[in-house]
Amino acid sequence: VQLQASGGGLVQAGGSLRLSCAASGSILSINVMGWYRQAPGKQRELVATMTNDGSTDYADSVKGRFTISRENAKNMVYLQMNSLKPEDTAVYFCNADRVRRRGFISVGNYWGQGTQVTVSS
């Protein structure tokens, strides 16, 4: 399974960005898709996740500013980021958890390569 993230970039504080992530590779279903981020010198942290039935979870720091969405039929997940702050600067990674693949019994967890988001003050 491969996850390809896109949409990062440089934006001024208060601006918006939309991240996209596409999962591919003989996928039958993905239970949870989400976004995590890692700032320099810090541990990777959860930003937002969404189950295939629409349940969401957000980090407190992004509630009310970020919105996660999915297109299950296309195995895609999005992150709309509004009112960006300098502290949102990080590499953002997409994740697919409990992925069922054709020909496999067990489920897997997969990470994308990361996309840089830089918010200037």
Side-chain angles (χ1 to χ4, degrees):
V1 173
Q2 293 187 336
L3 277 70
Q4 182 68 45
S6 61
L10 173 64
V11 65
Q12 288 188 333
S16 298
L17 284 174
R18 186 178 190 237
L19 306 183
S20 300
C21 177
S24 60
S26 301
I27 296 169
L28 290 173
S29 64
I30 304 175
N31 186 255
V32 185
M33 296 191 80
W35 294 93
Y36 293 73
R37 67 186 180 188
Q38 187 167 17
K42 295 187 177 182
Q43 290 188 331
R44 190 173 297 188
E45 63 177 4
L46 179 147
V47 176
T49 60
M50 189 172 196
T51 64
N52 54 8
D53 64 358
S55 297
T56 59
D57 186 26
Y58 291 93
D60 288 343
S61 59
V62 307
K63 285 180 181 176
R65 300 188 298 122
F66 291 9
T67 302
I68 190 170
S69 60
R70 287 177 62 167
E71 288 189 80
N72 291 334
K74 295 182 179 180
N75 294 322
M76 294 199 67
V77 63
Y78 307 95
L79 186 68
Q80 178 65 44
M81 304 185 293
N82 298 329
S83 302
L84 281 160
K85 304 175 181 180
E87 50 264 43
D88 294 318
T89 295
V91 178
Y92 284 69
F93 298 88
C94 65
N95 176 265
D97 191 28
R98 281 168 269 169
V99 180
R100 294 194 179 276
R101 299 172 60 193
R102 293 182 183 85
F104 290 82
I105 297 175
S106 61
V107 297
N109 181 283
Y110 302 92
W111 291 92
Q113 85 285 5
T115 184
Q116 177 70 46
V117 172
T118 303
V119 184
S120 63
S121 57

